[in-house]
Amino acid sequence: MLDYPALQALVAVIEARGFDRAAQRLSISQSAVSQRIRQLEFKLGQPVLLRTSPPRPTELGQRLANHLQQVQQLEQALSTDDDADKRLRVRLAVNADSIDTWLPQALSAASVSRRMDFDFVVEDQDVGLKRMKNGEVMACICASEQPVNGGLAQYLGSIRYRALASPEFKQQYRAQLAGAELDQIPCLIYSADDRLQHRFLQAQGVGDPKYNHLCPSSYGFVNLALAGLGYGMMPELQVQPQLRSGALVDLVAGYEMDVPMYWHYWQTESPALAELRQAVVQVAQQHLRLG
Amino acid sequence: MLDYPALQALVAVIEARGFDRAAQRLSISQSAVSQRIRQLEFKLGQPVLLRTSPPRPTELGQRLANHLQQVQQLEQALSTDDDADKRLRVRLAVNADSIDTWLPQALSAASVSRRMDFDFVVEDQDVGLKRMKNGEVMACICASEQPVNGGLAQYLGSIRYRALASPEFKQQYRAQLAGAELDQIPCLIYSADDRLQHRFLQAQGVGDPKYNHLCPSSYGFVNLALAGLGYGMMPELQVQPQLRSGALVDLVAGYEMDVPMYWHYWQTESPALAELRQAVVQVAQQHLRLG
């Protein structure tokens, strides 16, 4: 059995960003906090915390912190009414385009989410499942259909993407558009894991983009397109005002890409997380495309 | 002197996400690419590339890649008209709130940026300078006034932040607002490095937030506030439509926080980067608050 007081000390140090504040929070001495964590590391034979400023968990430390959250959730399911006000920390891996568009409304619709503190880990839709496999998160929204070991997946609907640019940008690159040299047109890429622009070019029968700007911030991504620095794949849901006003237009008329989204969860799901999932699925199906 | 063909091989593997595509790009064999990188590592006595899929640079590898960019820029300053069309890769550390608001327009105003491919490294405004210290980036926008060794800093103006929430959220927590228990109100935090909400609470005379949602995506951050899950510090520039429509309101009337921004650059700045800096400074001063 794991040493749970040591896990609590670990989580307190991470959340309070220091040993002294963790000690205050737990109402024990700072040396007691250090000792618990050292003993935990001794037993496990590897570090759980990097002694940086502020301290950060190792990969193992993060897995233990997440495990403690899951145990606390299971405890909450046993709890009496006295504890009903207690808030839960819920760590979710989500793709940026979900948290940037439909997900906040879905969480807001779930009454259970009023008792949750969310910790969103933003990963590309094609790699978020790694966080689930590593046991770092309690649920995951991503494009993979296949559940992880010990997990299940539920279909949410699809996000529709379009390749969008400013009208001035499209005008500037009209020669490349006409000449089917789309790989010569600068594009925006969200992160090294973001392959949507590559898939768009592939569908147009050309190779990888020759020029690109890498921008891992979503407002920045849209604003770089508006400012005419590149085109990029954006969810329709995210840029409805810009599509209506004509500030963003399709680079290739009629091109659309639908990416399916799944909610991945553990078979040992707590009642609170089941309630959250059911509410999220319901709202997702109002915003995403089904098919 | 460094082995520049080996550095080019390293950068090609990183950018093309593989040894085979790097070899194609350089028009040499795949084994020549591998050999150059192995020899580089042998000379330096440490790895420059993690052999993952796709391969990723080590910290040293990233510094070497950035060094190659700087050398290429210096070369470009010597170049003849024939090379004028060649695009430069420019790696910048920026705070999310700059790339999300005024920076795209500033870049768009600089004619030199039409010949640049930007690689934005998004870091909190208080920590971006680390990337500059490590030599990983060619310039940095952050809140620190003090230049790094070998660098200079130029003032850009300040970003004005307000603590904003939906009107329904403010109504829901009116008791905590009236009772000066602001630390009991759930807040949004962008990342572990984001201390703006803590500074807001400090200015109100209360301690750290008891409850928070961590959301490292900027549209998500604003949409979580709109959906009523928490309040957060947002740049006025980012949410002008929501402020006008009343969808977001001040949690504490009249509270504002101005955070100064600086452009950090190297004393060995290339002519192209100097041109970029001058254009950015000029546009920044139209959008940011001076004083």
Side-chain angles (χ1 to χ4, degrees):
Chain A
M1 191 82 199
L2 280 167
D3 174 359
Y4 284 94
L7 294 195
Q8 285 180 301
L10 170 65
V11 169
V13 170
I14 299 165
E15 290 188 355
R17 297 164 58 91
F19 283 81
D20 45 348
R21 283 192 296 267
Q24 278 171 28
R25 186 188 285 201
L26 297 173
S27 308
I28 58 176
S29 72
Q30 196 183 320
S31 69
V33 172
S34 302
Q35 200 187 357
R36 285 185 192 179
I37 293 176
R38 268 201 316 276
Q39 284 177 347
L40 182 66
E41 292 179 325
F42 179 75
K43 266 194 219 166
L44 297 170
Q46 50 177 304
V48 297
L49 201 63
L50 303 172
R51 269 67 170 182
T52 48
S53 173
R56 294 187 191 273
T58 62
E59 205 187 304
L60 174 64
Q62 187 58 59
R63 276 180 11 225
L64 290 171
N66 185 58
H67 169 75
L68 182 65
Q69 285 179 3
Q70 288 188 296
V71 170
Q72 284 171 335
Q73 291 222 358
L74 291 171
E75 280 185 14
Q76 219 218 10
L78 301 170
S79 75
T80 63
D81 274 352
D82 288 355
D83 296 331
D85 283 347
K86 226 183 137 200
R87 287 173 72 101
L88 290 175
R89 189 113 200 126
V90 175
R91 201 156 198 257
L92 301 178
V94 297
N95 62 319
D97 293 324
S98 284
I99 186 67
D100 289 345
T101 57
W102 62 275
L103 185 60
Q105 268 180 277
L107 297 175
S108 160
S111 62
V112 69
S113 75
R114 304 274 156 190
R115 290 186 284 115
M116 292 177 168
D117 286 323
F118 293 103
D119 183 353
F120 298 105
V121 181
V122 174
E123 289 284 10
D124 195 83
Q125 59 224 359
D126 294 324
V127 296
L129 208 57
K130 265 192 228 162
R131 301 288 196 152
M132 190 85 184
K133 273 188 200 131
N134 290 345
E136 292 174 48
V137 295
M138 300 166 88
C140 166
I141 295 175
C142 69
S144 312
E145 187 176 356
Q146 189 61 36
V148 300
N149 270 341
L152 297 164
Q154 186 161 3
Y155 177 63
L156 294 169
S158 292
I159 295 183
R160 172 157 293 180
Y161 288 87
R162 284 157 64 179
L164 300 172
S166 73
E168 298 74 24
F169 180 86
K170 191 173 171 182
Q171 175 66 11
Q172 189 188 344
Y173 287 96
R174 63 190 180 283
Q176 288 83 349
L177 272 166
E181 294 173 320
L182 275 77
D183 54 339
Q184 303 285 333
I185 306 178
C187 76
L188 306 173
I189 295 182
Y190 187 79
S191 73
D193 294 317
D194 171 16
R195 308 292 290 169
L196 290 180
Q197 287 69 222
H198 295 72
R199 282 166 64 184
F200 160 69
L201 289 180
Q202 209 167 21
Q204 304 299 320
V206 292
D208 288 353
K210 285 265 194 324
Y211 313 113
N212 66 74
H213 305 293
L214 201 65
C215 178
S217 192
S218 47
Y219 264 98
F221 193 98
V222 172
N223 285 335
L224 286 167
L226 289 168
L229 273 91
Y231 76 89
M233 295 292 287
M234 289 168 235
E236 265 185 0
L237 278 175
Q238 190 170 11
V239 289
Q240 280 167 341
Q242 293 88 343
L243 288 172
R244 269 197 298 272
S245 72
L248 290 175
V249 295
D250 285 299
L251 194 68
V252 172
Y255 177 80
E256 288 162 348
M257 184 197 296
D258 288 345
V259 177
M261 292 286 134
Y262 297 86
W263 177 275
H264 289 262
Y265 58 106
W266 296 106
Q267 285 168 6
T268 56
E269 188 185 47
S270 70
L273 271 183
E275 200 180 323
L276 181 71
R277 173 172 52 82
Q278 284 149 14
V280 164
V281 168
Q282 205 178 354
V283 176
Q285 294 182 343
Q286 291 158 24
H287 289 87
L288 301 184
R289 295 184 163 263
L290 303 174
Chain B
M1 192 79 197
L2 280 167
D3 174 0
Y4 285 93
L7 294 195
Q8 284 179 303
L10 170 66
V11 168
V13 171
I14 298 166
E15 288 188 357
R17 297 164 58 90
F19 283 80
D20 46 347
R21 281 192 297 265
Q24 278 172 26
R25 187 188 286 200
L26 297 172
S27 307
I28 58 176
S29 72
Q30 194 182 323
S31 69
V33 172
S34 303
Q35 199 185 359
R36 285 185 194 179
I37 293 176
R38 266 202 315 277
Q39 283 176 347
L40 182 67
E41 292 179 325
F42 179 75
K43 268 194 215 164
L44 297 170
Q46 49 177 304
V48 297
L49 202 62
L50 303 172
R51 271 66 171 183
T52 48
S53 173
R56 294 187 191 274
T58 63
E59 205 188 301
L60 173 63
Q62 187 55 60
R63 276 177 16 221
L64 290 171
N66 185 56
H67 170 75
L68 182 66
Q69 283 179 2
Q70 288 188 297
V71 170
Q72 284 170 333
Q73 291 223 357
L74 291 170
E75 281 185 13
Q76 219 217 12
L78 302 170
S79 76
T80 63
D81 275 352
D82 288 354
D83 296 332
D85 283 346
K86 223 181 141 204
R87 288 173 71 100
L88 290 174
R89 188 112 202 126
V90 176
R91 201 157 199 256
L92 301 178
V94 298
N95 62 318
D97 293 325
S98 284
I99 187 66
D100 289 344
T101 57
W102 62 275
L103 186 59
Q105 268 181 278
L107 297 176
S108 160
S111 63
V112 68
S113 75
R114 303 274 154 190
R115 291 185 285 114
M116 292 176 168
D117 286 323
F118 293 103
D119 182 354
F120 297 105
V121 182
V122 174
E123 288 284 8
D124 195 83
Q125 57 222 0
D126 295 324
V127 296
L129 208 56
K130 263 191 231 163
R131 301 288 197 152
M132 190 86 185
K133 272 189 200 131
N134 291 346
E136 292 173 48
V137 294
M138 302 168 88
C140 166
I141 296 174
C142 69
S144 312
E145 188 177 354
Q146 188 62 36
V148 299
N149 270 340
L152 297 165
Q154 185 161 2
Y155 177 63
L156 295 169
S158 292
I159 295 183
R160 173 156 292 179
Y161 288 88
R162 284 157 64 180
L164 300 172
S166 73
E168 298 72 26
F169 180 86
K170 192 174 171 181
Q171 176 66 13
Q172 191 189 341
Y173 287 96
R174 63 191 181 281
Q176 287 83 348
L177 273 166
E181 293 173 320
L182 274 78
D183 55 339
Q184 303 286 333
I185 306 178
C187 75
L188 306 173
I189 294 182
Y190 186 79
S191 73
D193 293 317
D194 171 15
R195 308 293 289 170
L196 291 180
Q197 289 67 222
H198 295 72
R199 283 166 64 185
F200 161 70
L201 290 179
Q202 209 167 21
Q204 304 299 319
V206 293
D208 288 354
K210 286 267 196 318
Y211 312 113
N212 66 74
H213 305 292
L214 201 65
C215 178
S217 192
S218 47
Y219 263 99
F221 193 97
V222 172
N223 285 336
L224 286 167
L226 289 168
L229 273 91
Y231 76 91
M233 295 292 288
M234 288 167 235
E236 265 184 3
L237 279 174
Q238 190 171 11
V239 288
Q240 280 167 342
Q242 294 87 344
L243 287 172
R244 270 197 297 272
S245 72
L248 289 175
V249 295
D250 286 299
L251 194 67
V252 172
Y255 178 80
E256 288 162 347
M257 184 197 295
D258 287 346
V259 178
M261 291 286 133
Y262 297 87
W263 177 276
H264 289 262
Y265 59 105
W266 297 107
Q267 285 167 6
T268 56
E269 188 185 47
S270 70
L273 271 184
E275 201 180 321
L276 181 70
R277 172 171 54 81
Q278 284 148 14
V280 165
V281 168
Q282 206 178 352
V283 177
Q285 294 181 344
Q286 293 159 22
H287 289 87
L288 302 183
R289 297 185 161 260
L290 303 174

